[in-house]
Amino acid sequence: MSEPSWASRALEILGDSVRRVDSLSDELTLECDASQLLAVATTLRDHAELGFDVLVDLAGVDYLEYGKSEWKTISATGSGFSRGVNRGGSFDGATAGRRFAVVSHLLSVRRNRRLRLRAFCADNDEPMIDSLVGVWASANWFEREAFDLFGILFKGHPDLRRLLTDYGFIGHPFRKDFPLIGNVEVRYDPQKQRVVYEPVSIEPRTLVPRVIRHDNRYDPALIETTPTAAPGKAAG
């Protein structure tokens, strides 16, 4: 079955429980409501024509500033080459239920097909969604990572604990509103003979580089001048 055919068939099988998301021509990305996540995931795994038996990856996404310029400094501009700008202009991560999403990357080993499934958490302040561990056991540590870095809670997870940050870490470092310099810093205190936490001492600074291009074509002395003939050649 060709790519367009199986993608259409997948949409037919899942029906109104999913919506297709714009993506590259050779990719299939589906979105479902949080309430439908477990049902959709189970169908994707168990249906004979789909058979997505492997969860390759699962990640959290924070869309808080998506579609807006990230350059908010006096000396830099967000116009022109600006990263992360949604050209459609219709997506706003500050809208209720549209900030935090969980994205799962699925693989059908038997059919050699890949699919991306996205579901948004209904609450922006306390994001929570069903755990996929009961559908794909490999989701366990991926969900712990998303909880640690984004603060997304997974209902039904067997052991939801931080995975990458320290035991006493406060906040979730991959959230868009988390300060880049962090909140605390650690150092070893030789007198106390242990690691101590202190308020961060790094001063905030602009991280957008200023690009200066030295190009002779734009030298003011060369603008609006008549080209001269090269040495040894007659002007023609």
Side-chain angles (χ1 to χ4, degrees):
M1 188 180 296
S2 64
E3 182 74 18
S5 299
W6 84 261
S8 300
R9 180 57 181 155
L11 290 170
E12 181 181 344
I13 293 171
L14 295 169
D16 296 336
S17 59
V18 298
R19 301 169 295 278
R20 185 163 188 174
V21 179
D22 292 339
S23 57
L24 298 178
S25 58
D26 58 343
E27 295 181 352
L28 177 60
T29 302
L30 303 179
E31 180 180 319
C32 71
D33 295 335
S35 59
Q36 296 289 325
L37 179 59
L38 287 180
V40 170
T42 303
T43 301
L44 288 171
R45 183 195 64 183
D46 295 343
H47 197 282
E49 296 183 54
L50 299 176
F52 287 94
D53 47 355
V54 178
L55 184 142
V56 179
D57 191 16
L58 181 148
V61 184
D62 184 358
Y63 287 96
L64 179 62
E65 295 293 330
Y66 185 80
K68 301 177 182 178
S69 171
E70 65 179 22
W71 293 353
K72 298 180 179 179
T73 63
I74 296 176
S75 59
T77 176
S79 62
F81 184 73
S82 181
R83 293 165 289 173
V85 172
N86 177 24
R87 293 176 175 82
S90 60
F91 194 100
D92 187 359
T95 303
R98 298 294 289 180
R99 176 176 176 181
F100 293 103
V102 174
V103 180
S104 305
H105 295 263
L106 309 178
L107 169 66
S108 173
V109 176
R110 182 174 69 253
R111 301 182 182 277
N112 191 25
R113 294 172 183 162
R114 295 179 183 270
L115 180 145
R116 184 183 296 110
L117 178 64
R118 180 176 72 180
F120 279 89
C121 301
D123 192 340
N124 286 359
D125 297 325
E126 295 183 2
M128 182 181 295
I129 202 166
D130 289 317
S131 171
L132 292 177
V133 173
V135 183
W136 297 286
S138 58
N140 192 325
W141 279 30
F142 293 135
E143 291 181 350
R144 286 183 58 188
E145 182 182 54
F147 162 69
D148 190 359
L149 301 180
F150 292 93
I152 299 174
L153 299 171
F154 292 87
K155 292 184 294 184
H157 192 284
D159 186 22
L160 194 61
R161 293 178 291 133
R162 287 187 180 270
L163 183 66
L164 300 177
T165 57
D166 200 3
Y167 294 106
F169 193 89
I170 298 175
H172 305 282
F174 275 18
R175 289 192 175 189
K176 297 300 182 181
D177 51 5
F178 189 87
L180 293 178
I181 60 175
N183 295 314
V184 297
E185 61 186 25
V186 298
R187 67 176 179 85
Y188 179 77
D189 191 321
Q191 295 181 348
K192 297 181 179 180
Q193 296 186 350
R194 63 180 177 85
V195 173
V196 295
Y197 290 81
E198 298 174 339
V200 65
S201 60
I202 301 175
E203 296 182 0
R205 60 188 185 277
T206 300
L207 298 180
V208 178
R210 181 184 178 189
V211 180
I212 301 176
R213 295 182 176 88
H214 298 284
D215 195 328
N216 292 332
R217 292 176 299 172
Y218 304 106
D219 191 324
L222 299 178
I223 296 177
E224 296 183 358
T225 59
T226 303
T228 58
K233 295 184 179 180

